[in-house]
Amino acid sequence: MDGNERAPAASSGAARYHRDLALRNRAALLGAARRLFLDLGYDGTSLAKVAAEAGVSRATLFKQFPTKAELFSAMVTTSWATEDEQDPPVPGDPLAALTTLGTRYADLLTRPGMADLFRIVIAEFPRFPELGRTHFDLGKMPFFDSVRDHLLAEQHAGTLQFEDADLVTTQFLGMIANYVLWPRMLLLDWDPDAASVARAVEEAALTVHARHSVSPLGARSGRGDAAGR
């Protein structure tokens, strides 16, 4: 291999190194920000403190997060991010789909640091209401929208029937959050095991399905009545 062949390989290796370093620094900064926001509050946390806590230079921090608001937004987005390979369920089996979506929601709410994120937003909301809006818009709403869209797809497929998709979505996700998340806000030792969380998801899915499923027998009966008329 001559010098001309080695140069591209070296350049590619350097680019990969800097990309990996940037990802490590980003993770360190987000983790440091979470700890400091929780311990010192949003107002009491400066970008300089975050850089020091993360063990990176201020220049490195400002390159990725020029403002504290952008840092907080990135923390919210990262906390709520789902895996790319999680494809939406296919309409046709609403009970299975609700169970899948409910399990994903429970997994999100029980991620390390998620309860801390909620505590930060709740504690700082009176002085910084924009944090609540950021958390809602960048965090919960994308997942909420995905569940609502699937419910509408099930309705279009004739497997579910309801009048208000937003209300049904809120009720479904609320049943799960009321078991796996909200007790953690007051009870630091609240830590249900995986089987208990799965049971809570199953009950939420069964409740929505029992209330809104379209009976195949009823559908056939309706078609028969129409034909008789």
Side-chain angles (χ1 to χ4, degrees), residues 115-126 131-132 135 182 185:
D116 289 343
L117 179 59
F118 273 83
R119 291 189 184 102
I120 293 167
V121 173
I122 292 170
E124 297 291 350
F125 183 77
L131 299 185
H135 188 205
W182 293 118
M185 299 297 101

Side-chain angles (χ1 to χ4, degrees), residues 73-119:
S73 295
M75 189 177 71
V76 170
T77 302
T78 301
S79 297
W80 283 91
T82 56
E83 299 296 331
D84 292 339
E85 62 269 18
Q86 290 186 335
D87 294 326
V90 177
D93 187 346
L95 182 57
L98 286 166
T99 301
T100 295
L101 293 168
T103 299
R104 292 176 183 176
Y105 190 57
D107 288 344
L108 283 172
L109 295 183
T110 55
R111 279 181 173 177
M114 181 62 84
D116 289 343
L117 179 59
F118 273 83
R119 291 189 184 102

Side-chain angles (χ1 to χ4, degrees), residues 90-93 150-160 214:
V90 177
D93 187 346
H150 183 79
L151 291 175
L152 290 170
E154 293 286 1
Q155 185 175 53
H156 182 73
T159 56
L160 293 178
V214 176

Side-chain angles (χ1 to χ4, degrees), residues 72-74 76-77 80 133-142:
F72 183 81
S73 295
V76 170
T77 302
W80 283 91
R133 174 55 62 183
T134 297
H135 188 205
F136 191 79
D137 289 345
L138 299 183
K140 181 177 179 178
M141 278 311 295

Side-chain angles (χ1 to χ4, degrees), residues 10 16 19 40 42 50 61 63 85 89 95 113 135-136 144 154 165 170 173 195 202 207 214:
R16 188 181 310 112
R19 184 171 58 251
L40 305 178
Y42 184 80
V50 173
L61 184 150
K63 184 182 297 184
E85 62 269 18
L95 182 57
H135 188 205
F136 191 79
F144 182 98
E154 293 286 1
T170 298
L173 297 181
E202 180 185 19
T207 299
V214 176

